[in-house]
């Protein structure tokens, strides 16, 4: 006797993939709002430190959510890198005076989301089910 595995339609897989992305964004926002009050004001007064603190808060929230869903530490690390990388790269133009503090925060967040999506697409065998 042959047993067929459960197959999901492409639309359903896409829906689950998109929902997983949304869940990570919600977890990032929760981390950002829950952990932000814990940092000393003197630290967050510096734009570059504030950007890295915010990335840390969001990464902690996303890490907790992914760990609860039993994602591997390798996948969690890739997603954390996608969240920090924009800010780390943008610190150079910020320090050179080519980017304002608001530009650093805005561009870092705008770049972060497509990088996270790219990480998910790159590892779609992990996220596409």
């Amino acid at each position: 006797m042959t047993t067929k595995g459960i197959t999901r339609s492409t639309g359903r897989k896409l829906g689950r993939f998109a929902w997983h992305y949304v869940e990570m964004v919600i977890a990032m926002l929760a981390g950002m709002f829950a952990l932000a009050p814990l940092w000393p004001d003197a630290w967050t007064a510096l734009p570059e430190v504030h950007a890295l603190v915010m990335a840390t808060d969001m990464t902690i929230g996303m890490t907790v959510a992914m760990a609860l869903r039993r994602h591997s530490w390798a996948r969690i690390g890739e997603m954390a890198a996608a969240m920090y990388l924009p800010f780390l790269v943008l610190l150079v133009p910020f320090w050179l005076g080519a980017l304002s503090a608001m530009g650093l925060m805005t561009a870092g967040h705008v770049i972060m989301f497509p990088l996270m999506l790219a990480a998910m697409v790159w590892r779609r065998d992990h996220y596409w089910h």
Side-chain angles (χ1 to χ4, degrees):
M1 181 188 311
T2 305
T3 306
K4 291 184 178 180
I6 298 173
T7 58
R8 292 188 175 100
S9 70
T10 301
R12 182 162 172 151
K13 288 180 182 180
L14 180 61
R16 289 176 59 90
F17 182 88
W19 178 243
H20 184 71
Y21 182 83
V22 169
E23 283 178 334
M24 285 197 299
V25 171
I26 292 168
M28 290 165 47
L29 291 171
M32 185 174 67
F33 289 114
L35 300 174
L38 303 179
W39 297 96
D41 290 337
W43 289 15
T44 57
L46 300 169
E48 55 267 63
V49 176
H50 188 210
L52 295 176
V53 162
M54 189 171 292
T56 299
D57 292 345
M58 291 188 290
T59 300
I60 290 170
M62 183 266 321
T63 298
V64 168
M66 289 184 75
L68 288 172
R69 290 185 62 138
R70 299 181 187 235
H71 288 273
S72 70
W73 287 109
R75 299 299 80 80
I76 293 170
E78 288 171 356
M79 202 57 65
M83 295 169 68
Y84 276 103
L85 189 61
F87 293 106
L88 294 174
V89 169
L90 291 169
L91 284 176
V92 174
F94 172 74
W95 287 329
L96 294 174
L99 192 62
S100 68
M102 181 60 77
L104 171 66
M105 292 299 272
T106 302
H109 284 88
V110 167
I111 296 168
M112 174 194 307
F113 291 108
L115 277 180
M116 290 171 52
L117 183 59
M120 289 178 68
V121 170
W122 182 41
R123 299 288 191 185
R124 68 184 161 273
D125 59 318
H126 188 75
Y127 299 99
W128 186 268
H129 49 85

